[in-house]
Amino acid sequence: MSEALHVHPGTTALPDVHHDEHHHAHHKETFISKYVFSMDHKTIGKQFLITGIVWAIIGGLFSVLFRLQLGYPDQSFPILETVFGKGAKGGQITPEFYYALVTMHGTVLVFFVLTAGLSGTFANLLIPLQIGARDMASPMLNMLSYWFFFLASIVMLSSLFIQTGPAAGGWTMYPPLSALRQAGDGSKLGTDLWLVSMALFIVSSLLGGLNYISTILNLRTKGMSMTRLPLPIWAMFFTAVLGVLSFPVLLSGAILLLFDRNLGTSFFLSDIVVNGEILPNEGGSAILFQHLFWFLGHPEVYIILLPAMGMVSEILSVNSRKPIFGYMAMLGSLFAICILAFLVWAHHMFVTGLNPFLGSVFVLLTLLIAVPSAIKVFNWLTTLWRGNIRFTPATLFAVGFVSLFISGGLTGIFLGNSTIDIHLHDTMFVVAHFHIVMGVASFFGMFAGVYHWFPKMFGRYLNSTLGYIHFWVTMIGAYLIFWPMHYQGLAGTPRRYLDKRGWSSFNGFPELDKMITIVSIIVFAVQLMFVFNFFYSIFKGRKVTNPNPWGANTLEWTTPIQPGHGNWEGEIPEVYRWPYDYAKDGRDFIPQTEPVGENESKH
């Protein structure tokens, strides 16, 4: 594709793909081939992002609606009955439907927004552009990975509109609740649709992950050695490896659960009595499903976090006008997180009757993962230290990510200790911890990426004023929502309870719950403002005039402002240096494509 094709006289000439007049004469692209069934990695990235945004609105709305119930348990809201029908009779959410809302909120945001929306968007957008490739190793598989995700989305969405309602087994779908149809409406057809949707979603993730790995290993441009790769690419690489190794385990769990539900097998069921009826199932283990789920579930935390970490590293370096501190230490810590992510899954299972000695092994491994995380935090802070910082919205969200990662990560040390975890397990403390460190922090990484690479995606800028409002309200709001939950959890308040007024031991937080509900509504409204900013700016935003608006060194800024399919119009540029030569030898930045001078100082 990079060279014009030369033909002998008398043969039929093939179009030279470089020249626009030929390109358009021979390749009439329809709307459907360009925007729907596109094989261009940049368009597929946008498809993932926009689908993720739609899902984020749905998942976020669920949380606002069940927060209404938590904040005002004695009031009825007629709008809830209008939206949910029998799930909110008399304007109050029923306990069963509340559990379904919590289930769908968790599933949608963890898998469909933060996994597909974050990895799918930025791995697709950045990998070919930053390594110097025309496209992914297999554009066809790349397109299929999006359409499998889209299909999974349709199946999951359809479960919201069926008679018995969506799945209601918690986002972890533990049996026996999820394995027995007679357990309740939320265990009927909705759960089958949930499992089928997850199977399709996992196929999408595997197609994408294999593509990302093979692209990074095989399609780097001349001079782009592995140690010259920008950190987002390393992060996407490790993320893809994590996904390819751990997602099949959840797929097996989902398929075996479908067998238990529909074919009479007993993988996860044994010795169960329902309404006085003794079920014939014998020999299964519900704990086995927990092992299968968390063997994906813990790497999943890092499948979500690692891309955000890579992008934050890049954005902080570009906007503090300094080289990233400790490039090799960053790679080492990414690798260590990747290995340790597979060795800590049972810390989710300290209260399942796990052998205490085995528990102590998982405590040690869990606390060990704090070491590479701390290295990354130290390196981000030292990159910012005495930098010439430009406070763009992307920079603010990147700094916000570091703040949330530190504060949310510290509470993980409590939960990683098996003794303390017995008290804190399944309380609001757990909700507070993983929302801050995994949910909100990853969203901040995603927002940072959108603000930073939006000019490359659409050739226009997002509105900065709306960006600053978006940051400050979300940052303050996130801490106001989730920080107080730690105290509720320490007091023993359980999670997933609809109405706590009947328990004198932990009903002491009604005003706090009201405050959290009000703040969550405000924060959700500001996310809608971001969505408006996003779609408005695609068509009406200020146009980009400089191909390298941030003065960055990486290859994506050497392409035209809005690159066509193939990214570079002529030859793909050659790389001569690492991507972080900022403030070096009296120069603000030195792009990767510039040869190293004879008298240049070594980094």
Side-chain angles (χ1 to χ4, degrees):
M1 185 164 177
S2 61
E3 303 252 357
L5 291 165
H6 299 289
V7 289
H8 293 292
T11 58
T12 309
L14 289 165
D16 173 348
V17 293
H18 286 320
H19 298 299
D20 275 353
E21 65 274 10
H22 287 306
H23 191 63
H24 292 300
H26 294 272
H27 293 276
K28 272 283 182 238
E29 280 198 306
T30 62
F31 178 84
I32 288 188
S33 71
K34 186 167 184 190
Y35 293 109
V36 183
F37 296 108
S38 172
M39 291 196 205
D40 181 354
H41 69 98
K42 298 181 291 300
T43 306
I44 294 170
K46 292 173 200 171
Q47 288 174 321
F48 270 107
L49 180 58
I50 289 166
T51 313
I53 286 174
V54 171
W55 269 121
I57 295 168
I58 295 169
L61 186 61
F62 287 160
S63 66
V64 168
L65 293 172
F66 65 67
R67 275 299 337 166
L68 272 181
Q69 186 68 45
L70 287 168
Y72 300 92
D74 49 351
Q75 290 186 29
S76 64
F77 297 93
I79 187 170
L80 294 178
E81 189 167 17
T82 312
V83 176
F84 296 129
K86 67 174 187 177
K89 270 206 176 75
Q92 284 199 310
I93 295 173
T94 62
E96 294 81 6
F97 194 70
Y98 173 77
Y99 207 34
L101 280 180
V102 171
T103 301
M104 295 306 286
H105 164 74
T107 305
V108 161
L109 288 170
V110 169
F111 294 111
F112 288 45
V113 180
L114 291 172
T115 304
L118 185 56
S119 273
T121 299
F122 291 104
N124 270 304
L125 177 73
L126 296 179
I127 288 174
L129 284 170
Q130 289 199 334
I131 68 171
R134 296 281 178 202
D135 206 317
M136 286 288 179
S138 171
M140 179 71 179
L141 284 186
N142 208 21
M143 178 184 81
L144 281 175
S145 93
Y146 172 72
W147 285 104
F148 268 106
F149 168 51
F150 188 79
L151 202 56
S153 295
I154 296 297
V155 174
M156 190 67 80
L157 198 60
S158 66
S159 74
L160 298 172
F161 299 100
I162 57 174
Q163 184 87 36
T164 50
W171 76 279
T172 52
M173 274 299 151
Y174 285 172
L177 184 62
S178 60
L180 300 171
R181 291 178 182 282
Q182 58 268 53
D185 277 357
S187 298
K188 293 189 167 71
L189 178 60
T191 298
D192 287 319
L193 291 171
W194 190 96
L195 292 164
V196 170
S197 171
M198 285 309 299
L200 291 166
F201 175 82
I202 290 165
V203 171
S204 156
S205 294
L206 293 175
L207 288 172
L210 291 169
N211 220 345
Y212 306 152
I213 293 167
S214 46
T215 305
I216 292 167
L217 291 179
N218 298 319
L219 294 187
R220 301 190 307 281
T221 187
K222 190 176 178 187
M224 180 65 85
S225 63
M226 292 297 275
T227 50
R228 286 178 180 167
L229 286 175
L231 286 169
I233 303 302
W234 273 109
M236 307 292 182
F237 177 72
F238 284 127
T239 302
V241 170
L242 280 172
V244 165
L245 295 177
S246 63
F247 264 118
V249 180
L250 180 63
L251 182 61
S252 66
I255 290 169
L256 296 182
L257 192 51
L258 278 169
F259 285 178
D260 273 11
R261 290 172 55 79
N262 299 299
L263 300 179
T265 56
S266 296
F267 290 106
F268 307 127
L269 296 172
S270 186
D271 310 318
I272 295 189
V273 181
V274 179
N275 295 333
E277 177 200 355
I278 300 172
L279 300 188
N281 305 80
E282 275 183 29
S285 165
I287 303 295
L288 170 62
F289 181 85
Q290 290 197 29
H291 280 293
L292 294 175
F293 182 89
W294 287 115
F295 193 80
L296 160 91
H298 203 84
E300 170 68 16
V301 172
Y302 294 100
I303 288 170
I304 288 170
L305 271 171
L306 287 183
M309 288 176 168
M311 295 192 298
V312 162
S313 304
E314 177 77 17
I315 290 164
L316 289 181
S317 181
V318 170
N319 288 307
S320 59
R321 312 313 290 157
K322 275 180 66 186
I324 192 79
F325 185 90
Y327 177 85
M328 292 311 284
M330 287 294 225
L331 294 193
S333 58
L334 280 172
F335 182 64
I337 287 172
C338 204
I339 300 294
L340 286 166
F342 282 108
L343 304 176
V344 296
W345 80 90
H347 70 210
H348 296 269
M349 301 168 58
F350 284 148
V351 295
T352 58
L354 196 67
N355 178 313
F357 173 74
L358 198 54
S360 67
V361 173
F362 279 99
V363 170
L364 175 67
L365 291 166
T366 301
L367 297 181
L368 267 181
I369 210 163
V371 177
S373 302
I375 290 170
K376 299 195 84 57
V377 167
F378 175 78
N379 286 9
W380 288 323
L381 295 178
T382 30
T383 301
L384 286 167
W385 176 248
R386 303 186 75 173
N388 185 13
I389 303 172
R390 291 184 305 210
F391 287 104
T392 65
T395 316
L396 288 174
F397 275 105
V399 174
F401 171 89
V402 177
S403 163
L404 290 154
F405 185 68
I406 295 169
S407 57
L410 287 172
T411 54
I413 296 171
F414 291 64
L415 295 168
N417 186 315
S418 55
T419 319
I420 303 172
D421 186 66
I422 289 167
H423 173 68
L424 295 176
H425 192 81
D426 258 342
T427 68
M428 295 301 286
F429 193 95
V430 177
V431 175
H433 160 71
F434 79 78
H435 273 83
I436 287 180
V437 78
M438 182 178 97
V440 187
S442 303
F443 260 113
F444 270 56
M446 190 172 179
F447 287 138
V450 171
Y451 280 101
H452 189 74
W453 280 288
F454 192 88
K456 184 47 60 189
M457 284 192 251
F458 298 105
R460 293 176 185 267
Y461 294 102
L462 281 161
N463 182 301
S464 290
T465 308
L466 292 180
Y468 293 129
I469 296 168
H470 179 211
F471 168 75
W472 285 110
V473 176
T474 311
M475 183 74 181
I476 295 164
Y479 274 121
L480 284 176
I481 292 167
F482 296 113
W483 203 252
M485 290 184 189
H486 290 104
Y487 301 105
Q488 292 183 315
L490 287 168
T493 308
R495 61 178 177 161
R496 297 179 179 165
Y497 276 40
L498 173 71
D499 185 353
K500 312 182 189 82
R501 287 172 300 167
W503 283 271
S504 57
S505 50
F506 46 75
N507 68 356
F509 301 103
E511 297 307 315
L512 193 58
D513 273 328
K514 277 186 187 139
M515 185 275 287
I516 292 173
T517 297
I518 291 163
V519 176
S520 62
I521 292 168
I522 294 167
V523 170
F524 182 69
V526 169
Q527 307 319 307
L528 294 180
M529 185 193 75
F530 164 75
V531 172
F532 166 77
N533 187 6
F534 181 87
F535 287 108
Y536 180 83
S537 299
I538 289 175
F539 303 106
K540 301 282 191 193
R542 185 164 55 90
K543 286 191 173 172
V544 176
T545 51
N546 176 0
N548 187 359
W550 312 123
N553 293 336
T554 40
L555 289 180
E556 74 268 33
W557 307 108
T558 63
T559 61
I561 289 171
Q562 282 211 273
H565 194 174
N567 299 334
W568 287 269
E569 286 175 342
E571 292 291 320
I572 298 176
E574 189 176 338
V575 166
Y576 298 96
R577 59 179 71 236
W578 77 323
Y580 299 108
D581 273 337
Y582 294 102
K584 183 180 181 189
D585 297 341
R587 294 179 60 186
D588 185 35
F589 68 102
I590 313 175
Q592 281 189 282
T593 50
E594 188 175 312
V596 179
E598 285 179 23
N599 302 322
E600 205 172 303
S601 58
K602 294 276 187 285
H603 69 260

